Amino acid sequence: MKIILIGLMGAGKTTIGKELSMELGFRLVDMDMEIEKEANMSIVDIFEKYGEAEFRKKELNLLKKLIKEDNIIISTGGGIIKEKTNCELLKNQKHVIFLDGNVNTLLRNVSNGINERPLLKNTKDLKIKLQNLLNERYDKYKECAKIQIDINGKNIDEVVSQILVYIR
Ligand code: S3P
């Protein structure tokens, strides 16, 4: 089985992925961390030195590779749905889960990770930025996912339980 978590920055993809990985005993791959490891460079540096397009290429190549694996939880980066090919790959998978949070939930969760996120770094109004990204991407998350989980007002355990019920 393969579980793929998608959603905007601050939706809790990494944290929920860790919990799922412990519950199910599957390997967790956090795509951002894997890209950083492979490039031996932070995401911020990759964006600054090579640009977003290069990052998206790395993201696509990694997804292509990971999608062949089994018994894995894949925690994607928030922009995974920007590439059409990624969307096609995701649509062919059984357990793609969209962690759906409103802007207040996302804002609360990203607050202490702004400097590690190139798209939020140096942003004057974080709430507006997140709202714009959500507006731009919302339909794509829905389109690529098999199930959408409302994360607003829920703690991690509640979201994880919901996912476990869904996959079992
Ligand atoms: C991005 C989200 C980030 C990371 C990169 C770009 C995006 O991942 O991949 O900064 O375009 O939304 P998280 O969603 O894990 O923060």
PDB file of all heavy atoms in Angstrom, residues 7-11 13-14 30 32 35 43-44 47 52 55-56 59 75-80 82 110 116-119 133 137 141, ligand 1:
ATOM      1  N   GLY A   7      -1.548  18.715   0.036  1.00  0.00           N
ATOM      2  CA  GLY A   7      -2.196  19.857   0.679  1.00  0.00           C
ATOM      3  C   GLY A   7      -1.206  21.002   0.809  1.00  0.00           C
ATOM      4  O   GLY A   7       0.005  20.814   0.590  1.00  0.00           O
ATOM      5  N   LEU A   8      -1.722  22.142   1.174  1.00  0.00           N
ATOM      6  CA  LEU A   8      -0.881  23.333   1.219  1.00  0.00           C
ATOM      7  C   LEU A   8       0.125  23.290   2.391  1.00  0.00           C
ATOM      8  O   LEU A   8      -0.022  22.490   3.305  1.00  0.00           O
ATOM      9  CB  LEU A   8      -1.783  24.584   1.335  1.00  0.00           C
ATOM     10  CG  LEU A   8      -1.204  25.851   0.743  1.00  0.00           C
ATOM     11  CD1 LEU A   8      -1.097  25.759  -0.769  1.00  0.00           C
ATOM     12  CD2 LEU A   8      -2.015  27.071   1.114  1.00  0.00           C
ATOM     13  N   MET A   9       1.094  24.173   2.346  1.00  0.00           N
ATOM     14  CA  MET A   9       2.040  24.318   3.455  1.00  0.00           C
ATOM     15  C   MET A   9       1.231  24.533   4.742  1.00  0.00           C
ATOM     16  O   MET A   9       0.286  25.321   4.749  1.00  0.00           O
ATOM     17  CB  MET A   9       2.918  25.558   3.224  1.00  0.00           C
ATOM     18  CG  MET A   9       3.845  25.423   2.043  1.00  0.00           C
ATOM     19  SD  MET A   9       4.752  26.959   1.704  1.00  0.00           S
ATOM     20  CE  MET A   9       3.661  27.789   0.568  1.00  0.00           C
ATOM     21  N   GLY A  10       1.604  23.827   5.782  1.00  0.00           N
ATOM     22  CA  GLY A  10       0.906  24.003   7.056  1.00  0.00           C
ATOM     23  C   GLY A  10      -0.280  23.070   7.247  1.00  0.00           C
ATOM     24  O   GLY A  10      -0.962  23.122   8.267  1.00  0.00           O
ATOM     25  N   ALA A  11      -0.497  22.181   6.302  1.00  0.00           N
ATOM     26  CA  ALA A  11      -1.627  21.250   6.445  1.00  0.00           C
ATOM     27  C   ALA A  11      -1.265  20.073   7.359  1.00  0.00           C
ATOM     28  O   ALA A  11      -2.141  19.306   7.740  1.00  0.00           O
ATOM     29  CB  ALA A  11      -2.065  20.738   5.072  1.00  0.00           C
ATOM     30  N   LYS A  13       1.252  17.692   6.644  1.00  0.00           N
ATOM     31  CA  LYS A  13       1.584  16.494   5.862  1.00  0.00           C
ATOM     32  C   LYS A  13       2.723  15.685   6.517  1.00  0.00           C
ATOM     33  O   LYS A  13       2.640  14.469   6.617  1.00  0.00           O
ATOM     34  CB  LYS A  13       1.975  16.880   4.417  1.00  0.00           C
ATOM     35  CG  LYS A  13       0.889  17.647   3.663  1.00  0.00           C
ATOM     36  CD  LYS A  13       1.311  18.011   2.252  1.00  0.00           C
ATOM     37  CE  LYS A  13       2.433  19.031   2.149  1.00  0.00           C
ATOM     38  NZ  LYS A  13       2.106  20.409   2.519  1.00  0.00           N
ATOM     39  N   THR A  14       3.743  16.388   6.957  1.00  0.00           N
ATOM     40  CA  THR A  14       4.896  15.696   7.543  1.00  0.00           C
ATOM     41  C   THR A  14       4.545  15.055   8.886  1.00  0.00           C
ATOM     42  O   THR A  14       4.841  13.881   9.123  1.00  0.00           O
ATOM     43  CB  THR A  14       6.073  16.681   7.720  1.00  0.00           C
ATOM     44  OG1 THR A  14       6.368  17.236   6.442  1.00  0.00           O
ATOM     45  CG2 THR A  14       7.304  15.999   8.269  1.00  0.00           C
ATOM     46  N   ASP A  30       9.527  12.103   3.267  1.00  0.00           N
ATOM     47  CA  ASP A  30       9.134  13.496   3.181  1.00  0.00           C
ATOM     48  C   ASP A  30       9.874  14.057   1.965  1.00  0.00           C
ATOM     49  O   ASP A  30      11.103  14.118   1.945  1.00  0.00           O
ATOM     50  CB  ASP A  30       9.557  14.221   4.467  1.00  0.00           C
ATOM     51  CG  ASP A  30       9.207  15.681   4.420  1.00  0.00           C
ATOM     52  OD1 ASP A  30       9.935  16.457   3.749  1.00  0.00           O
ATOM     53  OD2 ASP A  30       8.197  16.061   5.025  1.00  0.00           O
ATOM     54  N   ASP A  32      10.351  16.943   0.538  1.00  0.00           N
ATOM     55  CA  ASP A  32      11.260  18.094   0.690  1.00  0.00           C
ATOM     56  C   ASP A  32      12.586  17.665   1.317  1.00  0.00           C
ATOM     57  O   ASP A  32      13.665  18.064   0.865  1.00  0.00           O
ATOM     58  CB  ASP A  32      10.621  19.173   1.576  1.00  0.00           C
ATOM     59  CG  ASP A  32       9.539  19.946   0.846  1.00  0.00           C
ATOM     60  OD1 ASP A  32       9.477  19.854  -0.396  1.00  0.00           O
ATOM     61  OD2 ASP A  32       8.752  20.637   1.513  1.00  0.00           O
ATOM     62  N   ILE A  35      14.661  15.704  -1.153  1.00  0.00           N
ATOM     63  CA  ILE A  35      15.283  16.571  -2.174  1.00  0.00           C
ATOM     64  C   ILE A  35      16.483  17.307  -1.557  1.00  0.00           C
ATOM     65  O   ILE A  35      17.541  17.416  -2.173  1.00  0.00           O
ATOM     66  CB  ILE A  35      14.244  17.564  -2.747  1.00  0.00           C
ATOM     67  CG1 ILE A  35      13.232  16.812  -3.621  1.00  0.00           C
ATOM     68  CG2 ILE A  35      14.922  18.684  -3.558  1.00  0.00           C
ATOM     69  CD1 ILE A  35      12.024  17.627  -4.069  1.00  0.00           C
ATOM     70  N   ILE A  43      16.002  23.655   0.726  1.00  0.00           N
ATOM     71  CA  ILE A  43      15.020  24.052  -0.297  1.00  0.00           C
ATOM     72  C   ILE A  43      15.181  25.547  -0.619  1.00  0.00           C
ATOM     73  O   ILE A  43      15.145  25.949  -1.783  1.00  0.00           O
ATOM     74  CB  ILE A  43      13.564  23.781   0.201  1.00  0.00           C
ATOM     75  CG1 ILE A  43      13.356  22.308   0.549  1.00  0.00           C
ATOM     76  CG2 ILE A  43      12.540  24.274  -0.817  1.00  0.00           C
ATOM     77  CD1 ILE A  43      13.256  21.360  -0.610  1.00  0.00           C
ATOM     78  N   VAL A  44      15.392  26.333   0.420  1.00  0.00           N
ATOM     79  CA  VAL A  44      15.568  27.776   0.206  1.00  0.00           C
ATOM     80  C   VAL A  44      16.759  28.031  -0.714  1.00  0.00           C
ATOM     81  O   VAL A  44      16.669  28.824  -1.661  1.00  0.00           O
ATOM     82  CB  VAL A  44      15.760  28.512   1.571  1.00  0.00           C
ATOM     83  CG1 VAL A  44      16.209  29.943   1.371  1.00  0.00           C
ATOM     84  CG2 VAL A  44      14.465  28.469   2.376  1.00  0.00           C
ATOM     85  N   PHE A  47      15.983  27.042  -4.353  1.00  0.00           N
ATOM     86  CA  PHE A  47      15.181  28.092  -5.003  1.00  0.00           C
ATOM     87  C   PHE A  47      16.062  29.298  -5.358  1.00  0.00           C
ATOM     88  O   PHE A  47      15.962  29.855  -6.442  1.00  0.00           O
ATOM     89  CB  PHE A  47      14.046  28.556  -4.072  1.00  0.00           C
ATOM     90  CG  PHE A  47      12.728  27.849  -4.262  1.00  0.00           C
ATOM     91  CD1 PHE A  47      12.607  26.497  -3.956  1.00  0.00           C
ATOM     92  CD2 PHE A  47      11.603  28.511  -4.718  1.00  0.00           C
ATOM     93  CE1 PHE A  47      11.385  25.829  -4.102  1.00  0.00           C
ATOM     94  CE2 PHE A  47      10.381  27.855  -4.885  1.00  0.00           C
ATOM     95  CZ  PHE A  47      10.272  26.514  -4.571  1.00  0.00           C
ATOM     96  N   GLU A  52      12.840  28.156  -8.981  1.00  0.00           N
ATOM     97  CA  GLU A  52      11.731  27.240  -8.664  1.00  0.00           C
ATOM     98  C   GLU A  52      11.605  26.126  -9.703  1.00  0.00           C
ATOM     99  O   GLU A  52      11.319  24.976  -9.367  1.00  0.00           O
ATOM    100  CB  GLU A  52      10.410  28.024  -8.543  1.00  0.00           C
ATOM    101  CG  GLU A  52       9.245  27.111  -8.190  1.00  0.00           C
ATOM    102  CD  GLU A  52       7.931  27.829  -7.917  1.00  0.00           C
ATOM    103  OE1 GLU A  52       7.934  29.077  -7.770  1.00  0.00           O
ATOM    104  OE2 GLU A  52       6.900  27.132  -7.861  1.00  0.00           O
ATOM    105  N   PHE A  55      13.675  23.226  -8.926  1.00  0.00           N
ATOM    106  CA  PHE A  55      13.114  22.498  -7.783  1.00  0.00           C
ATOM    107  C   PHE A  55      11.957  21.605  -8.246  1.00  0.00           C
ATOM    108  O   PHE A  55      11.843  20.447  -7.849  1.00  0.00           O
ATOM    109  CB  PHE A  55      12.637  23.476  -6.701  1.00  0.00           C
ATOM    110  CG  PHE A  55      11.873  22.799  -5.586  1.00  0.00           C
ATOM    111  CD1 PHE A  55      12.533  22.069  -4.614  1.00  0.00           C
ATOM    112  CD2 PHE A  55      10.480  22.872  -5.532  1.00  0.00           C
ATOM    113  CE1 PHE A  55      11.827  21.419  -3.600  1.00  0.00           C
ATOM    114  CE2 PHE A  55       9.769  22.227  -4.530  1.00  0.00           C
ATOM    115  CZ  PHE A  55      10.440  21.501  -3.560  1.00  0.00           C
ATOM    116  N   ARG A  56      11.099  22.165  -9.101  1.00  0.00           N
ATOM    117  CA  ARG A  56       9.940  21.391  -9.583  1.00  0.00           C
ATOM    118  C   ARG A  56      10.381  20.168 -10.373  1.00  0.00           C
ATOM    119  O   ARG A  56       9.730  19.133 -10.347  1.00  0.00           O
ATOM    120  CB  ARG A  56       9.019  22.278 -10.441  1.00  0.00           C
ATOM    121  CG  ARG A  56       8.413  23.469  -9.706  1.00  0.00           C
ATOM    122  CD  ARG A  56       7.465  23.049  -8.601  1.00  0.00           C
ATOM    123  NE  ARG A  56       7.052  24.187  -7.766  1.00  0.00           N
ATOM    124  CZ  ARG A  56       6.622  24.080  -6.521  1.00  0.00           C
ATOM    125  NH1 ARG A  56       6.552  22.902  -5.933  1.00  0.00           N
ATOM    126  NH2 ARG A  56       6.273  25.141  -5.835  1.00  0.00           N
ATOM    127  N   GLU A  59      11.422  17.623  -7.932  1.00  0.00           N
ATOM    128  CA  GLU A  59      10.205  17.118  -7.285  1.00  0.00           C
ATOM    129  C   GLU A  59       9.535  16.055  -8.187  1.00  0.00           C
ATOM    130  O   GLU A  59       9.145  14.984  -7.726  1.00  0.00           O
ATOM    131  CB  GLU A  59       9.272  18.318  -7.058  1.00  0.00           C
ATOM    132  CG  GLU A  59       8.248  18.155  -5.965  1.00  0.00           C
ATOM    133  CD  GLU A  59       7.490  19.451  -5.710  1.00  0.00           C
ATOM    134  OE1 GLU A  59       7.233  20.234  -6.650  1.00  0.00           O
ATOM    135  OE2 GLU A  59       7.114  19.676  -4.546  1.00  0.00           O
ATOM    136  N   SER A  75       4.993  12.074   1.920  1.00  0.00           N
ATOM    137  CA  SER A  75       4.536  13.405   2.304  1.00  0.00           C
ATOM    138  C   SER A  75       5.077  14.378   1.244  1.00  0.00           C
ATOM    139  O   SER A  75       6.279  14.581   1.132  1.00  0.00           O
ATOM    140  CB  SER A  75       5.082  13.710   3.700  1.00  0.00           C
ATOM    141  OG  SER A  75       4.975  15.064   3.959  1.00  0.00           O
ATOM    142  N   THR A  76       4.183  14.913   0.443  1.00  0.00           N
ATOM    143  CA  THR A  76       4.611  15.741  -0.694  1.00  0.00           C
ATOM    144  C   THR A  76       4.841  17.197  -0.255  1.00  0.00           C
ATOM    145  O   THR A  76       4.438  17.594   0.837  1.00  0.00           O
ATOM    146  CB  THR A  76       3.533  15.728  -1.800  1.00  0.00           C
ATOM    147  OG1 THR A  76       2.329  16.279  -1.263  1.00  0.00           O
ATOM    148  CG2 THR A  76       3.272  14.327  -2.317  1.00  0.00           C
ATOM    149  N   GLY A  77       5.427  17.980  -1.137  1.00  0.00           N
ATOM    150  CA  GLY A  77       5.517  19.423  -0.911  1.00  0.00           C
ATOM    151  C   GLY A  77       4.214  20.055  -1.420  1.00  0.00           C
ATOM    152  O   GLY A  77       3.567  19.508  -2.325  1.00  0.00           O
ATOM    153  N   GLY A  78       3.865  21.201  -0.849  1.00  0.00           N
ATOM    154  CA  GLY A  78       2.575  21.825  -1.166  1.00  0.00           C
ATOM    155  C   GLY A  78       2.340  22.139  -2.641  1.00  0.00           C
ATOM    156  O   GLY A  78       1.203  22.247  -3.090  1.00  0.00           O
ATOM    157  N   GLY A  79       3.453  22.263  -3.400  1.00  0.00           N
ATOM    158  CA  GLY A  79       3.295  22.659  -4.800  1.00  0.00           C
ATOM    159  C   GLY A  79       3.293  21.489  -5.772  1.00  0.00           C
ATOM    160  O   GLY A  79       3.351  21.689  -6.983  1.00  0.00           O
ATOM    161  N   ILE A  80       3.197  20.279  -5.247  1.00  0.00           N
ATOM    162  CA  ILE A  80       3.311  19.081  -6.097  1.00  0.00           C
ATOM    163  C   ILE A  80       2.280  19.087  -7.237  1.00  0.00           C
ATOM    164  O   ILE A  80       2.555  18.614  -8.335  1.00  0.00           O
ATOM    165  CB  ILE A  80       3.168  17.780  -5.245  1.00  0.00           C
ATOM    166  CG1 ILE A  80       3.642  16.550  -6.002  1.00  0.00           C
ATOM    167  CG2 ILE A  80       1.745  17.557  -4.764  1.00  0.00           C
ATOM    168  CD1 ILE A  80       5.094  16.310  -5.925  1.00  0.00           C
ATOM    169  N   LYS A  82       1.304  21.499  -8.974  1.00  0.00           N
ATOM    170  CA  LYS A  82       1.526  22.525  -9.993  1.00  0.00           C
ATOM    171  C   LYS A  82       1.922  21.915 -11.344  1.00  0.00           C
ATOM    172  O   LYS A  82       1.624  22.449 -12.393  1.00  0.00           O
ATOM    173  CB  LYS A  82       2.614  23.507  -9.539  1.00  0.00           C
ATOM    174  CG  LYS A  82       2.105  24.515  -8.523  1.00  0.00           C
ATOM    175  CD  LYS A  82       3.166  25.528  -8.170  1.00  0.00           C
ATOM    176  CE  LYS A  82       3.362  26.560  -9.255  1.00  0.00           C
ATOM    177  NZ  LYS A  82       4.320  27.611  -8.851  1.00  0.00           N
ATOM    178  N   VAL A 110       2.101  27.186   9.965  1.00  0.00           N
ATOM    179  CA  VAL A 110       3.348  27.558   9.270  1.00  0.00           C
ATOM    180  C   VAL A 110       4.149  28.617  10.014  1.00  0.00           C
ATOM    181  O   VAL A 110       5.313  28.843   9.685  1.00  0.00           O
ATOM    182  CB  VAL A 110       3.153  28.102   7.819  1.00  0.00           C
ATOM    183  CG1 VAL A 110       2.672  27.031   6.879  1.00  0.00           C
ATOM    184  CG2 VAL A 110       2.297  29.325   7.767  1.00  0.00           C
ATOM    185  N   GLU A 116      12.073  28.602   6.284  1.00  0.00           N
ATOM    186  CA  GLU A 116      12.458  27.404   5.514  1.00  0.00           C
ATOM    187  C   GLU A 116      11.601  27.262   4.263  1.00  0.00           C
ATOM    188  O   GLU A 116      11.763  26.311   3.502  1.00  0.00           O
ATOM    189  CB  GLU A 116      12.276  26.127   6.353  1.00  0.00           C
ATOM    190  CG  GLU A 116      13.250  25.959   7.481  1.00  0.00           C
ATOM    191  CD  GLU A 116      12.711  26.527   8.777  1.00  0.00           C
ATOM    192  OE1 GLU A 116      11.703  26.011   9.267  1.00  0.00           O
ATOM    193  OE2 GLU A 116      13.295  27.503   9.284  1.00  0.00           O
ATOM    194  N   ARG A 117      10.638  28.171   4.084  1.00  0.00           N
ATOM    195  CA  ARG A 117       9.733  28.050   2.932  1.00  0.00           C
ATOM    196  C   ARG A 117       9.902  29.246   1.995  1.00  0.00           C
ATOM    197  O   ARG A 117       9.428  30.345   2.282  1.00  0.00           O
ATOM    198  CB  ARG A 117       8.295  27.947   3.438  1.00  0.00           C
ATOM    199  CG  ARG A 117       8.015  26.633   4.160  1.00  0.00           C
ATOM    200  CD  ARG A 117       6.609  26.567   4.650  1.00  0.00           C
ATOM    201  NE  ARG A 117       6.180  25.225   5.006  1.00  0.00           N
ATOM    202  CZ  ARG A 117       5.988  24.816   6.254  1.00  0.00           C
ATOM    203  NH1 ARG A 117       6.213  25.618   7.266  1.00  0.00           N
ATOM    204  NH2 ARG A 117       5.562  23.590   6.486  1.00  0.00           N
ATOM    205  N   PRO A 118      10.578  29.004   0.873  1.00  0.00           N
ATOM    206  CA  PRO A 118      10.910  30.110  -0.027  1.00  0.00           C
ATOM    207  C   PRO A 118       9.713  30.942  -0.473  1.00  0.00           C
ATOM    208  O   PRO A 118       9.840  32.149  -0.672  1.00  0.00           O
ATOM    209  CB  PRO A 118      11.567  29.422  -1.227  1.00  0.00           C
ATOM    210  CG  PRO A 118      11.463  27.977  -1.014  1.00  0.00           C
ATOM    211  CD  PRO A 118      11.094  27.713   0.388  1.00  0.00           C
ATOM    212  N   LEU A 119       8.554  30.305  -0.606  1.00  0.00           N
ATOM    213  CA  LEU A 119       7.393  31.061  -1.089  1.00  0.00           C
ATOM    214  C   LEU A 119       6.800  31.966  -0.009  1.00  0.00           C
ATOM    215  O   LEU A 119       6.017  32.868  -0.309  1.00  0.00           O
ATOM    216  CB  LEU A 119       6.303  30.124  -1.624  1.00  0.00           C
ATOM    217  CG  LEU A 119       6.669  29.265  -2.820  1.00  0.00           C
ATOM    218  CD1 LEU A 119       5.465  28.471  -3.302  1.00  0.00           C
ATOM    219  CD2 LEU A 119       7.207  30.103  -3.974  1.00  0.00           C
ATOM    220  N   LEU A 133      -2.589  31.326  -2.460  1.00  0.00           N
ATOM    221  CA  LEU A 133      -2.117  29.991  -2.875  1.00  0.00           C
ATOM    222  C   LEU A 133      -3.252  28.974  -2.790  1.00  0.00           C
ATOM    223  O   LEU A 133      -3.429  28.136  -3.674  1.00  0.00           O
ATOM    224  CB  LEU A 133      -0.945  29.533  -1.990  1.00  0.00           C
ATOM    225  CG  LEU A 133       0.399  30.185  -2.253  1.00  0.00           C
ATOM    226  CD1 LEU A 133       1.406  29.825  -1.158  1.00  0.00           C
ATOM    227  CD2 LEU A 133       0.961  29.756  -3.616  1.00  0.00           C
ATOM    228  N   ARG A 137      -4.762  26.846  -5.882  1.00  0.00           N
ATOM    229  CA  ARG A 137      -4.475  25.409  -5.933  1.00  0.00           C
ATOM    230  C   ARG A 137      -5.606  24.492  -5.497  1.00  0.00           C
ATOM    231  O   ARG A 137      -5.549  23.291  -5.740  1.00  0.00           O
ATOM    232  CB  ARG A 137      -3.251  25.118  -5.040  1.00  0.00           C
ATOM    233  CG  ARG A 137      -1.987  25.778  -5.524  1.00  0.00           C
ATOM    234  CD  ARG A 137      -0.869  25.544  -4.530  1.00  0.00           C
ATOM    235  NE  ARG A 137       0.404  26.076  -4.971  1.00  0.00           N
ATOM    236  CZ  ARG A 137       1.529  25.957  -4.272  1.00  0.00           C
ATOM    237  NH1 ARG A 137       1.507  25.333  -3.118  1.00  0.00           N
ATOM    238  NH2 ARG A 137       2.643  26.475  -4.733  1.00  0.00           N
ATOM    239  N   TYR A 141      -5.864  20.278  -5.868  1.00  0.00           N
ATOM    240  CA  TYR A 141      -5.735  19.298  -4.779  1.00  0.00           C
ATOM    241  C   TYR A 141      -6.923  18.339  -4.825  1.00  0.00           C
ATOM    242  O   TYR A 141      -6.770  17.135  -4.697  1.00  0.00           O
ATOM    243  CB  TYR A 141      -5.707  19.993  -3.410  1.00  0.00           C
ATOM    244  CG  TYR A 141      -4.450  20.771  -3.094  1.00  0.00           C
ATOM    245  CD1 TYR A 141      -4.516  22.077  -2.619  1.00  0.00           C
ATOM    246  CD2 TYR A 141      -3.186  20.194  -3.238  1.00  0.00           C
ATOM    247  CE1 TYR A 141      -3.376  22.797  -2.305  1.00  0.00           C
ATOM    248  CE2 TYR A 141      -2.031  20.911  -2.933  1.00  0.00           C
ATOM    249  CZ  TYR A 141      -2.133  22.215  -2.462  1.00  0.00           C
ATOM    250  OH  TYR A 141      -0.995  22.918  -2.155  1.00  0.00           O
TER     251      TYR A 141
HETATM  252  C1  S3P B   1       6.044  24.551  -1.550  1.00  0.00           C
HETATM  253  C2  S3P B   1       5.855  23.860  -0.376  1.00  0.00           C
HETATM  254  C3  S3P B   1       6.951  23.351   0.445  1.00  0.00           C
HETATM  255  C4  S3P B   1       8.209  23.096  -0.405  1.00  0.00           C
HETATM  256  C5  S3P B   1       8.539  24.323  -1.211  1.00  0.00           C
HETATM  257  C6  S3P B   1       7.401  24.761  -2.122  1.00  0.00           C
HETATM  258  C7  S3P B   1       4.868  25.048  -2.301  1.00  0.00           C
HETATM  259  O1  S3P B   1       6.573  22.126   1.076  1.00  0.00           O
HETATM  260  O2  S3P B   1       8.033  22.002  -1.252  1.00  0.00           O
HETATM  261  O3  S3P B   1       8.863  25.325  -0.310  1.00  0.00           O
HETATM  262  O4  S3P B   1       4.998  25.397  -3.487  1.00  0.00           O
HETATM  263  O5  S3P B   1       3.757  25.095  -1.705  1.00  0.00           O
HETATM  264  P1  S3P B   1       5.593  22.035   2.368  1.00  0.00           P
HETATM  265  O6  S3P B   1       4.194  22.019   1.853  1.00  0.00           O
HETATM  266  O7  S3P B   1       5.967  20.726   2.973  1.00  0.00           O
HETATM  267  O8  S3P B   1       5.892  23.185   3.247  1.00  0.00           O
END
